[in-house]
Amino acid sequence: MSAAGRLTPEGLRIGTLAGVPVLVARSWLVIAAVVTYLFAPTVAASAPGLGAWSYLVAFGYAVLLLLSVLLHELAHAVAARAFGMPATHIVINLWGGHTQFETDAVRPGRSFVIAVVGPLANAVLALLAAPLLLADLPDVARLLVWAFVLTNGVVAVFNLVPGLPLDGGRLLEALVWKLTSDRTTGTVVAAWGGRLVAAAVIGWGLLPLLSGRIDLVRVVWAVLIGGLLWSGAGHVLRGASIRRRAPEATVHRLARPAVPLPASVSVADALAAAGVSHPADLGRTTVLLLGEAGQPVGVLDPGAASQVPPERRASVPASAAARAFADGVVLDVRLGGEELLRLLGTLRGEEWPVRDEAGHWVGVLRGGDVVAALVGSRPARRRR
């Protein structure tokens, strides 16, 4: 691993492992503090002579957990890279960690392999460390090894539970995807499996209440973990809903009709060309402003144009009331579906000019219209 020490919005970059940047989020300090606080009494009971040093030993266990999570995520990254899906980074955070990939798996078999290697890595760690328990170790070292083996074993088994966002949910998703030839169906089934797991975890935490006992630590952890699983499953379900609507998200259907005009024309002439007398009447029609070379430079902003007094609209150029494009990206009218969504995810700005097969400027696509179509707040409308 090579050191870096650069602070990013997602956390502190501590280096790279197998070519993948590794970041530790600030939230990891929270779980490290909790683990240290909860494990310190066990360390103190095992070695009473340590005193306050028991907290340092307990913190060492938190670091061992970090390494376990890191190797878990690295296994995902290495497997994905073998399938031509390089990871962009690994983040260790409050709830463990996650690996971000440049693209998604396109086949269920690949998704299955990428998911299963994470829990397998934890199982291997537990098996490799277990023989150390047979050695003649100091009490503190034995305690750390035992905790390491037990934790990796539990993480391996728990992650194989068939419910998203756990790795076992990815395995279930891949299986249903293979059987139905529909990834979205697999995602929905696995996400609801995740919600069942979440409910079971919370129920386990509250179970002692039936006999009148209160285990506050158990309740808190169960609610936190169950809540995380429920929230994660809900996020996945929303993603599946968006994926189902992705075929409707086409530039042809969603682009607002545009009237292309030179940016030098007056505001009055631009409004007349659009067939309206006031900027507020533009509606879904957009005035696309072109530079001297015929390239799109922006759109007439209705709000800015409304600020121009009516008596001055004939003398003020439309460029003075323009909303400029964030970059030089031009969208093809034939783009749509997941290809369009992947592209928009890489672009800056909120709107982009649209060109048809013949090279004519025919519309402007707004990111808000795409989002509205995907979340179902309004039906996609065909461009006239």
Side-chain angles (χ1 to χ4, degrees), residues 2-372:
S2 63
R6 183 165 60 89
L7 190 62
T8 72
E10 290 196 76
L12 178 67
R13 176 169 173 170
I14 60 174
T16 60
L17 194 59
V20 183
V22 178
L23 300 97
V24 177
R26 296 179 183 88
S27 62
W28 178 80
L29 296 175
V30 176
I31 193 63
V34 171
V35 168
T36 301
Y37 177 77
L38 294 178
F39 193 59
T42 303
V43 176
S46 178
L50 284 177
W53 289 101
S54 60
Y55 285 93
L56 181 61
V57 175
F59 180 75
Y61 172 58
V63 174
L64 287 177
L65 286 180
L66 182 148
L67 294 176
S68 299
V69 172
L70 179 57
L71 292 175
H72 175 110
E73 298 300 330
L74 182 64
H76 289 314
V78 171
R81 185 169 62 186
F83 292 125
M85 296 168 49
T88 58
H89 58 271
I90 293 171
V91 179
I92 308 301
N93 55 27
L94 175 65
W95 301 110
H98 71 270
T99 303
Q100 185 67 41
F101 302 104
E102 290 184 1
T103 58
D104 287 334
V106 295
R107 299 178 185 173
R110 294 182 177 183
S111 182
F112 188 96
V113 171
I114 294 170
V116 78
V117 294
L120 286 180
N122 291 113
V124 169
L125 288 175
L127 291 174
L128 290 177
L132 294 176
L133 294 172
L134 302 176
D136 185 17
L137 297 174
D139 290 341
V140 172
R142 178 176 296 278
L143 177 63
L144 287 175
V145 171
W146 174 248
F148 182 80
V149 171
L150 180 63
T151 299
N152 275 281
V154 170
V155 169
V157 173
F158 186 67
N159 261 283
L160 289 174
V161 173
L164 287 170
L166 298 172
D167 289 328
R170 291 296 174 196
L171 302 182
L172 177 59
E173 176 193 49
L175 179 60
V176 177
W177 180 5
K178 179 67 175 179
L179 294 175
T180 64
S181 299
D182 183 4
R183 180 177 186 175
T184 303
T185 298
T187 302
V188 171
V189 171
W192 278 106
R195 286 195 160 177
L196 289 176
V197 173
V201 169
I202 294 174
W204 170 83
L206 300 178
L207 192 60
L209 296 178
L210 296 179
S211 58
R213 294 183 294 110
I214 298 178
D215 187 338
L216 187 59
V217 173
R218 174 171 171 169
V219 170
V220 170
W221 276 109
V223 171
L224 285 175
I225 295 174
L228 173 69
L229 293 175
W230 185 276
S231 176
H235 178 75
V236 171
L237 285 172
R238 288 189 293 273
S241 177
I242 288 175
R243 191 185 303 152
R244 284 201 187 279
R245 293 192 177 99
E248 299 180 16
T250 66
V251 175
H252 177 69
R253 292 170 65 89
L254 297 176
R256 297 181 179 228
V259 178
L261 293 173
S264 58
V265 302
S266 68
V267 172
D269 288 340
L271 295 176
V276 299
S277 58
H278 192 277
D281 297 327
L282 283 171
R284 285 183 54 84
T285 300
T286 300
V287 176
L288 177 63
L289 301 176
L290 307 176
E292 294 182 359
Q295 79 283 9
V297 295
V299 299
L300 182 66
D301 185 278
S306 297
Q307 299 300 313
V308 179
E311 65 273 13
R312 295 191 56 205
R313 289 174 186 166
S315 58
V316 174
S319 58
R323 187 170 61 241
F325 292 121
D327 49 37
V329 174
V330 172
L331 300 182
D332 190 297
V333 74
R334 293 166 292 185
L335 273 175
E338 294 192 23
E339 181 184 5
L340 172 63
L341 301 185
R342 284 193 297 269
L343 174 60
L344 295 186
T346 66
L347 301 181
R348 296 185 297 115
E350 296 294 331
E351 55 188 352
W352 306 272
V354 175
R355 184 165 50 193
D356 66 12
E357 301 92 322
H360 301 133
W361 303 111
V362 294
V364 171
L365 181 69
R366 294 186 179 178
D369 290 340
V370 177
V371 172

Side-chain angles (χ1 to χ4, degrees), residues 366-384:
R366 294 186 179 178
D369 290 340
V370 177
V371 172
L374 291 175
V375 301
S377 61
R378 68 168 177 79
R381 287 191 267 179
R382 183 173 295 276
R383 181 178 55 82
R384 290 177 185 152

